[in-house]
Amino acid sequence: MNIAVIAGDGIGRDVTAEAVKVLGALGEVTGRRPVLEHLPWGADHYLATGETLPANGYDLLRSFDAVLVGALGDPRVPDNRHARDILLGTRFELDLYVNFRPVKLIADALCPLKDRGTKDVDFVVFRENTEGVYVSVGGRFKAGTEDEVAIQEEINTWKGVHRIIRHAFEYAAAHGLTKVCMADKSNAMQQGHALWQRVFKEVAAGYPGITATHQYIDALAMFLVKDPGQYQVIVTNNLFGDIITDIGGALQGGLGMAASGNLHPGKTSLFEPVHGSAPPLAGKNVANPIGAILSTALMLDYLGHDHEARIVERAVSDAVAAGATTTDIGGTLGTSAVGDTIVRAVKSAR
Ligand code: NAD
Ligand code: IPM
Ligand code: MN
């Protein structure tokens, strides 16, 4: 495995250090050491050099088996330019159209909802990852005046909508799941989301064993809190998927628990925790590294190393069950001590 590592900014660095430790431990156990190349891209690099990523940056990333990212975002770069190039740019340039965000509660004690537990929070979100409002088509006219006009278009293409919806159904079929829920705002967004409605119905017709339902995104956000047990697979657009997976993070005990994969099946894909760089927590040894560590498990799965992925997941579950966690989820340990605990569990696995 040749892995590019972009720790990035803020707690991205803190949590990535732990994910890297876990990958190293796994290499010791299996005898197959992953080769990691650390890329210094992030706010410091941008502020020092004026370069967000090098001219051949995306080609360089394509030459690895996978990319592991911490987080990008720094208050010294208020327009988030570097994050736009490094993170969103990679999603677009490597055409990582599937943002796979599993929402799985691994211990009842972490559930923020009354009388709910692990059986109620276990679903996956497929977020469209290459279009929507994220393409930044638009512009500002008379910027900075009281006559300013700001236009930000939402792009929905048949190809983009079809491939993410199809992926959601294929995932359900491959995993023995029987329900796919599509969320949009077609009652208000009568052009773009009419496309989602049409394509969802057309694709669903090809999967008679799967119950296809639709919810408006506002209702879905409410039901995620009130009755998350109804979901198995959710598919939605880029922006809505971003928002509801932060809710998903909370359902897993906190944003620090949530993992994700930015995928183009068969091609170099990118794995990262769902959370951001949380500048107030950066460098304080308090950030929860589990979302980053579980993202490496998603990466291992994607690369066909399911046995290794299960070892990492079990090590995380054991640490959580033992209360060996950071304070955000009720423990008393620092970031690196949680990483050490998980590393020990990985090393004792077989
Ligand atoms: P954030 O996810 O960084 O943090 C929000 C809050 O969640 C934090 O204040 C903290 O209370 C909690 N939190 C998040 N991760 C945690 C962890 N691992 N352990 C413990 N608590 C954790 O969101 P934000 O504050 O809105 O954004 C900060 C910066 O990160 C911004 O620049 C934003 O653009 C960027 N961002 C980057 C990514 C990414 O690189 N994938 C994702 C989200 C946000
Ligand atoms: C995420 C993040 C990004 C997004 C930001 C940093 C642009 O919030 O990966 O969830 O909105 O996609
Ligand atoms: Mn987000």
Side-chain angles (χ1 to χ4, degrees), residues 23-248:
L23 276 176
L26 213 46
E28 279 181 36
V29 173
T30 62
R32 286 193 305 273
R33 283 186 166 277
V35 179
L36 306 182
E37 180 156 339
H38 291 268
L39 302 172
W41 310 344
D44 283 346
H45 182 76
Y46 172 58
L47 292 168
T49 64
E51 171 190 88
T52 55
L53 74 178
N56 69 340
Y58 303 123
D59 281 336
L60 177 64
L61 293 181
R62 271 188 274 267
S63 72
F64 292 92
D65 294 316
V67 184
L68 199 59
V69 170
L72 279 313
D74 186 298
R76 294 169 300 164
V77 188
D79 65 359
N80 240 356
R81 223 193 102 114
H82 67 301
R84 200 176 158 74
D85 285 0
I86 298 166
L87 182 64
L88 300 183
T90 302
R91 290 177 183 168
F92 296 142
E93 294 295 323
L94 274 63
D95 200 27
L96 306 175
Y97 65 93
V98 177
N99 197 324
F100 174 52
R101 296 189 158 183
V103 179
K104 186 173 166 63
L105 178 70
I106 59 178
D108 288 339
L110 298 188
C111 190
L113 307 177
K114 193 171 55 172
D115 303 329
R116 308 275 176 176
T118 51
K119 66 179 188 325
D120 304 297
V121 182
D122 187 4
F123 58 92
V124 297
V125 176
F126 289 103
R127 164 188 177 189
E128 200 294 318
N129 213 30
T130 50
E131 28 186 78
V133 293
Y134 279 73
V135 297
S136 217
V137 169
R140 292 163 74 194
F141 179 51
K142 299 187 181 177
T145 74
E146 291 190 356
D147 292 324
E148 179 163 344
V149 179
I151 294 177
Q152 182 110 38
E153 297 289 357
E154 183 183 276
I155 304 299
N156 297 277
T157 69
W158 184 89
K159 175 186 167 186
V161 174
H162 186 264
R163 65 185 182 174
I164 189 67
I165 290 177
R166 210 183 114 82
H167 189 87
F169 278 96
E170 280 296 304
Y171 179 93
H175 291 81
L177 301 173
T178 55
K179 296 194 284 187
V180 175
C181 179
M182 188 274 278
D184 65 15
K185 192 65 192 169
S186 50
N187 49 356
M189 302 179 73
Q190 291 175 355
Q191 315 303 335
H193 295 197
L195 178 61
W196 280 79
Q197 286 286 327
R198 165 167 85 93
V199 173
F200 185 63
K201 290 190 184 98
E202 287 171 6
V203 173
Y207 298 84
I210 295 176
T211 306
T213 58
H214 166 261
Q215 287 175 353
Y216 296 117
I217 190 67
D218 47 352
L220 180 130
M222 177 274 295
F223 281 125
L224 280 178
V225 176
K226 202 174 161 57
D227 179 26
Q230 68 181 280
Y231 301 108
Q232 292 182 346
V233 177
I234 294 171
V235 60
T236 191
N237 71 19
N238 206 339
L239 181 62
F240 297 163
D242 176 46
I243 297 167
I244 64 168
T245 53
D246 266 32
I247 302 176

